[in-house]
Amino acid sequence: MDSALPTIQHWIDGALATTTPARTSPVFNPALGVATANVALAEQAEIDAAVAAAKAAFPGWSNASVAKRQGVLFRFRELLNERKLELARIITSEHGKVVSDAAGEIQRGLEVVELAT
């Protein structure tokens, strides 16, 4: 692990995990062949916490009205649209695609979200 690189943490129950990861794995920019970050590898406790958070959130989500759930998905779609270029650059850095190809992936993702709503 290169400690000079940022570590990508887990997002559990609406917040970044606060634990220091025991294990990490490098994230490479395949176009450059260099590590650009480390990703935290979850321990069983973090996996259990993520599953518990999802289970706890399910009743509220499943009992929400269709209009409320649709509003959340539409907001998600708007965030994707607002951050299209930023997301395309992330895909480029992590998958080695050119930005225009990555932007096309974001556009296809937007179409999937629109279909889901």
Side-chain angles (χ1 to χ4, degrees):
M1 173 177 99
D2 184 344
S3 60
L5 296 175
T7 298
I8 301 166
Q9 294 285 3
H10 300 284
W11 189 264
I12 301 172
D13 201 19
L16 283 174
T18 57
T19 58
T20 302
R23 300 174 310 131
T24 63
S25 184
V27 176
F28 286 93
N29 178 325
L32 302 176
V34 297
T36 57
N38 292 301
V39 64
L41 301 178
E43 300 293 332
Q44 190 62 49
E46 288 175 310
I47 295 167
D48 293 343
V51 170
K55 282 183 178 179
F58 179 74
W61 176 256
S62 65
N63 290 322
S65 69
V66 170
K68 173 70 175 173
R69 287 183 280 166
Q70 191 176 40
V72 171
L73 287 174
F74 274 128
R75 180 63 186 133
F76 175 62
R77 181 191 64 140
E78 293 305 310
L79 286 169
L80 284 174
N81 199 38
E82 289 168 13
R83 297 182 175 196
K84 207 179 325 190
L85 184 58
E86 176 186 353
L87 292 168
R89 288 184 176 141
I90 291 169
I91 290 170
T92 296
S93 72
E94 293 180 358
H95 297 278
K97 294 176 179 255
V98 296
V99 174
S100 60
D101 283 349
E105 286 193 24
I106 300 299
Q107 185 58 46
R108 286 184 292 283
L110 281 165
E111 291 167 4
V112 170
V113 173
E114 289 170 358
L115 177 66
T117 56

